[in-house]
Amino acid sequence: MTSETAVALETHPLTHWTGAHGLPDFSRIDDGDFGPVFGAALKAHEAEIDAIAGDPDAPTVDNTLAALELAGEPLDRVSSIFWCRAGAHTNDAIQALEREVAPKMARHASAIAMNAALFARIDDLYNRRDTLGLDPETLRVLERTWKGFVRSGAKLDAEGKKRLAAINEELASLGASFGQNVLADEKEWVLFLEEGDLDGLPAFLRDAMAQAAEARGRKGLYAVTLSRSIYEPFTSYSARRDLREQAWKAFIRRGDNGGATDNGPVVARTLALRAEKAKLLGYDSYAALKLDDTMAKTPASVYGLLYPVWQKARAKAAEDQADLQRLAAGAGSNDTIAGWDWRYYQEKLRAEKFAFDEAELKPYLQLERVIDACFDVAGRLFGLSFVEQKGIPAWHPDVRVFQVRRRDGSDLGLFLADYFARPSKRSGAWMSALQSGYKLGEGSSPVIYNIMNFAKAPAGEPALLSLDEAKTLFHEFGHALHGMLTDVTWPSVAGTSVSRDFVELPSQLYEHWLTVPAVLEKHALHYKTGEPMPKTLLDKMLAAKTFGAGFATVEFTASALVDMAYHSRPDAPAEPLAFEADTLEKLEMPAAIAMRHRTPHFQHVFAGDGYSAGYYSYMWSEVLDADAFAAFDETGDSFNPALAEKLRKNIYAAGGSKDPEALYLAFRGKMPTADAMLAKRGLV
Ligand SMILES: [Zn+2]
């Protein structure tokens, strides 16, 4: 381990990237270096900020706004590698450091946001903004920067600033603990089964469970784990009601098991601090503070979307439940449908209604071919091509590196993908950047990555995906395209730096191309015979797309409504879980459906601040994506070139360089309605 003072940022492998294609040289990275390098990079950034704030020259866009945006490059570099490792390949050392780094970074960001001399220079530019002859993107960056300072407390008095900094720091460390507690509960719980316990389970699931048991040193047994790739199919197929109940209960109790990993106190404290923060900054509620910077803008417009959808979803779920109850009775069960029965009987209902079993699709959804499909669609829409670069070390041997090329053959940047689950990886799927793309200064080309949690296939067999997993792959790749196609000047508006209720548009929209018949016909090939998915199966699958929408919409919307309920109050509930129960009761939540994310493991909302008062935005974006894809449908060509170019220019390439409403209008020519979303979900 090197000491902080001895770190030479100009040459250290964490901050000076000398790997192939400008990547970090991961083979030279020593986990013991993260701490000292963070320390040195923070100091270097502080010195740059001091120089900008103390500049004797009058503020200009160059010496203030641009200097600020370009400062902190070593910190960006070490952070991007560190957070990648913390999510995708962690260990005890990184986890320990995470608890240290998160509050340090929060303190650092607060110190910048509350630097009075720096804000005075931004404020001066802001007040003269109409006379500076700025282009629209620069003007927007200046306005957003100014607003960011104000929302971070730049206008507070000394005491208020101090309190806000303390709140931010505590929130950051609470967020880190929350995520770690969920991970600990997920790792802790495993149910080892024997051959005789596997009634109803399809082969792919038995294989994945055998692999999971072997990875835990119990070769020959079968492990039910709380990874969604195992938990969801297990509760969908297992004929053993007692085992489904055990798995379901463990899943919904993640973070809610008492003891050291219980998230109850973490949530209560988080909500109290968020309410206090909103009050300090002059907002009625934390939701009002968070929504100020979004496309929706107010809690009222969020409820305006969610309530009508909730009523339609409940009605649909009630219809479905009657069907499930009838099926259960037919199978000789007198029990009322419970949470652990829903997916199981829903799978049977799907088979009855569509003579079709999700598992029949899997042999046609080979991971490799679904990746090809993702790339192929990006080629047809945007002219991109992807060339795999073998043998380049990354953070784990499973990671694959692709060079991304434009239509004219020029290099656009890099795409890295890490597809398989492992114990060192957080659950879920996500996109992030090791480096973002922008033109300011010397410019920078995007290095974007996707993380997935697919189950590995047995040796010699291809990994096969469920339809949902294939959709997830397209989803995260849509985010990746938003990062890769970015074509802006300023780093702070590059790629996915857009409001939360707009950021899911590029990803959710991209999912639509997975089920375009031309794409499936070409890429959904049986892994043994190479035959395309039969037309009948394809048609059944397309007809079945809205199946289960009542359940899915209820579990999602319940989570979104509880999130808004927590954050649109002026104060915080003392007993969050009692408040959750009370909110659900008032909403008349169906007893047999659980929230998609209950409070104690609602990572979007509590493992950091990203989607607090913002879980609704997935649905908001769905309104946008359904309406946007309808634009292609209206032309009768899913790859309409003129429309694809408008889409690239105004959505995928534009980042946050313009107001999201203006971007959408420029693409579509009109504002969206919820009609296409409700129709897509089969809720009309
Ligand atoms: Zn997403």
Side-chain angles (χ1 to χ4, degrees):
M1 186 180 289
T2 41
S3 84
E4 204 170 285
T5 45
V7 172
L9 295 172
E10 314 74 46
T11 54
H12 195 281
L14 282 170
T15 47
H16 178 64
W17 294 359
T18 57
H21 303 290
L23 282 172
D25 183 351
F26 283 94
S27 68
R28 290 174 57 216
I29 289 175
D30 175 350
D31 291 353
D33 284 353
F34 277 115
V37 172
F38 257 115
L42 280 163
K43 275 200 185 129
H45 192 209
E46 279 162 21
E48 285 177 287
I49 297 294
D50 287 347
I52 298 165
D55 191 334
D57 292 341
T60 64
V61 165
D62 270 354
N63 74 15
T64 301
L65 196 63
L68 184 61
E69 292 247 342
L70 293 172
E73 191 188 283
L75 185 59
D76 287 345
R77 291 192 166 207
V78 63
S79 299
S80 68
I81 300 175
F82 181 75
W83 293 114
C84 172
R85 284 288 306 278
H89 192 40
T90 193
N91 56 35
D92 291 346
I94 286 186
Q95 288 213 346
L97 193 56
E98 204 182 334
R99 287 188 290 271
E100 245 178 75
V101 166
K104 257 192 202 165
M105 291 293 281
R107 209 179 307 142
H108 179 67
S110 284
I112 296 172
M114 293 185 199
N115 183 319
L118 182 61
F119 178 64
R121 295 177 71 85
I122 297 287
D123 200 35
D124 177 69
L125 288 173
Y126 178 80
N127 290 328
R128 292 188 286 126
R129 65 193 182 282
D130 294 333
T131 64
L132 297 171
L134 304 177
D135 62 88
E137 185 184 329
T138 304
L139 178 63
R140 183 167 160 85
V141 168
L142 175 57
E143 287 173 347
R144 277 178 59 151
T145 304
W146 182 85
K147 204 169 184 183
F149 271 91
V150 172
R151 285 160 54 90
S152 303
K155 295 199 153 184
L156 293 177
D157 62 17
E159 197 185 324
K161 282 182 181 170
K162 208 173 137 202
R163 180 66 197 136
L164 186 60
I167 292 174
N168 287 339
E169 204 174 304
E170 192 179 346
L171 281 173
S173 99
L174 286 165
S177 302
F178 185 95
Q180 289 181 7
N181 288 341
V182 176
L183 184 62
D185 278 10
E186 285 176 354
K187 271 169 100 169
E188 171 73 23
W189 192 90
V190 56
L191 180 61
F192 291 107
L193 301 180
E194 297 183 346
E195 193 77 43
D197 301 321
L198 308 183
D199 277 8
L201 304 189
F204 82 86
L205 182 56
R206 291 173 184 231
D207 290 345
M209 288 166 61
Q211 286 271 315
E214 196 179 336
R216 286 160 183 78
R218 303 288 293 273
K219 194 171 160 68
L221 294 180
Y222 300 84
V224 185
T225 70
L226 298 181
S227 150
R228 263 193 205 271
S229 330
I230 288 185
Y231 162 78
E232 283 193 359
F234 183 79
T235 48
S236 302
Y237 294 110
S238 174
R240 286 278 299 276
R241 190 169 198 247
D242 58 330
L243 300 179
R244 290 200 309 267
E245 181 176 354
Q246 284 184 54
W248 185 87
K249 286 186 169 162
F251 194 75
I252 70 156
R253 283 186 191 154
R254 288 170 297 143
D256 189 18
N257 289 304
T261 61
D262 195 288
N263 270 331
V266 178
V267 169
R269 183 73 184 145
T270 300
L271 290 172
L273 289 172
R274 285 176 179 170
E276 187 188 346
K277 177 173 174 172
K279 199 170 282 174
L280 198 57
L281 292 171
Y283 288 87
D284 291 341
S285 65
Y286 196 66
L289 166 67
K290 291 285 294 196
L291 291 169
D292 189 32
D293 190 31
T294 61
M295 189 168 172
K297 295 188 174 65
T298 62
S301 63
V302 173
Y303 282 123
L305 166 67
L306 294 180
Y307 278 141
V309 172
W310 175 248
Q311 298 308 345
K312 288 192 165 73
R314 276 179 60 243
K316 185 72 177 63
E319 266 173 42
D320 291 349
Q321 186 163 358
D323 278 340
L324 302 185
Q325 198 66 61
R326 176 181 55 76
L327 275 176
S333 165
N334 296 320
D335 300 309
T336 305
I337 293 289
W340 49 92
D341 297 320
W342 196 292
R343 285 180 197 279
Y344 178 72
Y345 287 109
Q346 181 160 283
E347 215 37 60
K348 301 239 175 282
L349 182 62
R350 188 199 309 274
E352 181 190 279
K353 276 197 167 169
F354 299 99
F356 161 86
D357 171 355
E358 277 267 352
E360 281 178 57
L361 291 171
K362 262 190 116 125
Y364 296 94
L365 295 171
Q366 302 173 60
L367 171 61
E368 282 308 310
R369 303 303 311 229
V370 179
I371 295 168
D372 286 349
C374 263
F375 290 169
D376 189 20
V377 170
R380 293 183 67 174
L381 288 173
F382 308 124
L384 299 183
S385 57
F386 296 80
V387 186
E388 185 157 11
Q389 310 291 306
K390 301 256 189 191
I392 296 177
W395 56 90
H396 185 276
D398 282 351
V399 180
R400 293 164 67 176
V401 179
F402 300 88
Q403 199 173 39
V404 189
R405 296 194 184 142
R406 298 186 186 86
R407 205 184 299 271
D408 64 8
S410 60
D411 282 349
L412 178 75
L414 293 176
F415 173 63
L416 282 69
D418 183 359
Y419 293 112
F420 297 112
R422 56 179 168 260
S424 66
K425 196 189 269 188
R426 171 160 75 77
S427 59
W430 64 97
M431 162 274 188
S432 191
L434 286 177
Q435 179 173 293
S436 64
Y438 56 83
K439 288 177 254 177
L440 192 69
E442 289 169 13
S444 165
S445 64
V447 179
I448 305 297
Y449 63 87
N450 273 174
I451 309 285
M452 303 285 146
N453 265 290
F454 301 140
K456 266 195 182 167
E461 303 266 313
L464 302 175
L465 304 185
S466 69
L467 184 61
D468 273 352
E469 289 173 324
K471 268 191 198 164
T472 300
L473 190 76
F474 267 68
H475 179 100
E476 296 306 331
F477 192 72
H479 283 307
L481 286 170
H482 200 192
M484 291 186 281
L485 285 167
T486 191
D487 187 18
V488 301
T489 300
W490 292 83
S492 68
V493 292
T496 54
S497 306
V498 297
S499 66
R500 279 165 323 178
D501 54 4
F502 195 69
V503 76
E504 297 300 329
L505 169 60
S507 52
Q508 295 185 171
L509 175 58
Y510 206 70
E511 290 175 32
H512 288 261
W513 277 281
L514 168 64
T515 47
V516 163
V519 173
L520 285 172
E521 281 156 19
K522 185 168 167 194
H523 298 284
L525 307 178
H526 195 282
Y527 77 106
K528 281 188 177 149
T529 64
E531 292 292 315
M533 191 182 284
K535 183 87 174 62
T536 47
L537 191 57
L538 189 60
D539 289 346
K540 275 190 271 182
M541 184 190 85
L542 294 176
K545 271 208 297 191
T546 62
F547 179 78
F551 174 81
T553 310
V554 164
E555 65 161 13
F556 171 87
T557 311
S559 289
L561 284 164
V562 167
D563 170 34
M564 284 310 290
Y566 277 135
H567 295 104
S568 52
R569 299 163 47 121
D571 57 355
E575 297 283 347
L577 291 189
F579 180 75
E580 175 189 280
D582 187 49
T583 304
L584 293 175
E585 196 188 317
K586 284 187 187 133
L587 287 166
E588 298 178 68
M589 175 77 173
I593 302 180
M595 297 164 71
R596 182 157 180 85
H597 308 278
R598 284 191 59 235
T599 300
H601 46 256
F602 203 165
Q603 307 235 39
H604 300 75
V605 173
F606 294 109
D609 191 34
Y611 280 81
S612 58
Y615 193 61
Y616 80 89
S617 43
Y618 288 95
M619 185 169 279
W620 188 274
S621 297
E622 196 180 332
V623 168
L624 298 179
D625 78 59
D627 186 73
F629 195 73
F632 283 90
D633 279 344
E634 286 158 19
T635 70
D637 175 3
S638 304
F639 295 95
N640 184 293
L643 202 53
E645 176 50 21
K646 273 191 181 175
L647 181 65
R648 186 198 63 78
K649 182 165 177 266
N650 298 296
I651 307 292
Y652 284 90
S657 61
K658 290 186 187 142
D659 182 80
E661 262 187 49
L663 290 175
Y664 195 82
L665 271 172
F667 158 65
R668 183 66 159 119
K670 61 184 170 86
M671 289 308 286
T673 67
D675 297 349
M677 185 274 284
L678 289 168
K680 178 185 145 198
R681 286 195 170 223
L683 295 175
V684 280

